[in-house]
Amino acid sequence: MTTTLPPPMGGPSPAEVPLPHAPLVRVIAQVRFPTILSIRNPEQVATFQEKIRRAYPVLNQEEIRRVVLNADQPASDPKIQEDVVWRFSDRDRKWRVSLATDFVALETTSYDNRRDFLTRLRSIVGAVETTMNPQEAFRLGVRYIDRITGPALRDISKLIRQEVLGVSLSPIGAAAETVLTQTQFRAEEGLLQARWGLLPANGTIDPGTLEPIDEPSWILDLDMSSTEPLDFSADILGNAAEQFTERVYSVFRWMVSADFLRFYGGQP
């Protein structure tokens, strides 16, 4: 595909450099599809469970409530919608599959490599495809969250590009407790939402995915998503997710230095 977008938003992804001690705290992939009401039914979900139960044997059912606002109704009269999310985890609770009436997601706090993650994602999407038969995926998203703490945080100016650190490198940067940047980029494959910066102790940008910790940290949150609907197919969505992971990696590599790779055990 011909593109005029500059690297890292266009062009090939650099070769992956394994980081044995990577500061990656969570990776998430989510596929959203038109609502399938039968997913509320345990009997319907049981077939899906059997397809993934060997890898994700622990099941929890969560009841959730959503506030739905209707443009034709006063804001003071919201509608409360109750729904269910089925959570399937591995025995170590490091991998989790979430299935709801309008999405399926795979997330991990123990990411090892891109191939393993994509293989798992294709398997999960394939299980939904064969048991629930959604016709369309109107959004695919892949998200990587890194968190730098401790000695690495004190050497942040050596690990992250100066253009990224911005005001943190200025004379007033030493007085900053919170420095956050949020930017939406147009990439070759879709849109990339990026958030990065300094968080104080017990700070977070998203409690559901980034747990507060008792020390300052510098975070990098890269979320790549589709802009057009896709056929709900394990092959199509798996291939698209692979392209997304490569684009996210391209942006990550642009933001970090060779010192960063070495610090976390890589050999650039």
Side-chain angles (χ1 to χ4, degrees):
M1 175 180 176
T2 303
T3 178
T4 57
L5 292 176
M9 300 305 164
S13 175
E16 191 171 7
V17 176
L19 300 179
H21 312 297
L24 193 60
V25 294
R26 192 175 298 270
V27 179
I28 308 168
Q30 185 192 69
V31 182
R32 302 197 70 90
F33 49 80
T35 300
I36 300 176
L37 296 178
S38 62
I39 292 178
R40 295 174 182 163
N41 185 345
E43 294 182 2
Q44 180 77 3
V45 176
T47 306
F48 171 80
Q49 180 188 23
E50 286 307 303
K51 288 183 175 292
I52 69 168
R53 188 162 59 87
R54 181 179 294 274
Y56 311 98
V58 181
L59 171 62
N60 288 291
Q61 178 181 344
E62 293 185 10
E63 303 292 336
I64 62 172
R65 291 185 175 184
R66 301 173 179 173
V67 178
V68 180
L69 298 177
N70 191 322
D72 299 328
Q73 296 178 347
S76 59
D77 187 26
K79 179 181 178 181
I80 305 299
Q81 183 181 77
E82 295 186 353
D83 215 333
V84 60
V85 179
W86 306 93
R87 309 282 195 188
F88 306 86
S89 303
D90 69 341
R91 294 181 64 184
D92 294 329
R93 277 46 169 199
K94 293 181 178 180
W95 288 85
R96 185 172 76 169
V97 175
S98 299
L99 177 66
T101 56
D102 58 358
F103 76 85
V104 63
L106 172 67
E107 61 183 298
T108 183
T109 58
S110 185
Y111 184 90
D112 184 40
N113 60 71
R114 190 186 304 169
R115 177 176 295 182
D116 175 54
F117 185 81
L118 291 171
T119 298
R120 288 172 180 264
L121 179 61
R122 284 187 170 95
S123 176
I124 294 302
V125 172
V128 175
E129 180 184 5
T130 57
T131 58
M132 309 300 175
N133 193 29
Q135 297 300 299
E136 178 183 88
F138 59 78
R139 184 185 186 276
L140 167 66
V142 177
R143 183 179 180 187
Y144 285 71
I145 305 175
D146 287 275
R147 173 180 248 159
I148 297 173
T149 58
L153 184 59
R154 293 192 288 273
D155 288 335
I156 193 74
S157 62
K158 299 178 182 178
L159 306 182
I160 305 297
R161 287 180 68 123
Q162 292 188 0
E163 301 97 313
V164 176
L165 292 175
V167 72
S168 297
L169 296 179
S170 70
I172 65 171
E177 291 190 348
T178 303
V179 181
L180 287 175
T181 299
Q182 178 168 316
T183 306
Q184 181 170 284
F185 296 99
R186 179 166 52 92
E188 211 171 84
E189 301 81 6
L191 294 177
L192 191 142
Q193 186 82 18
R195 290 186 288 183
W196 68 85
L198 179 68
L199 291 176
N202 300 311
T204 182
I205 55 172
D206 184 350
T209 56
L210 187 69
E211 297 178 357
I213 58 175
D214 60 0
E215 61 178 316
S217 60
W218 194 92
I219 59 101
L220 175 58
D221 181 358
L222 300 176
D223 188 351
M224 181 84 196
S225 62
S226 56
T227 56
E228 299 292 339
L230 297 167
D231 289 342
F232 199 101
S233 155
D235 288 338
I236 291 173
L237 292 170
N239 291 339
E242 184 173 4
Q243 293 176 358
F244 285 11
T245 62
E246 291 176 356
R247 183 59 54 206
V248 168
Y249 186 68
S250 294
V251 176
F252 166 77
R253 284 290 301 276
W254 182 87
M255 289 186 165
V256 306
S257 68
D259 285 341
F260 179 101
L261 301 180
R262 284 188 286 266
F263 185 92
Y264 290 106
Q267 297 181 358

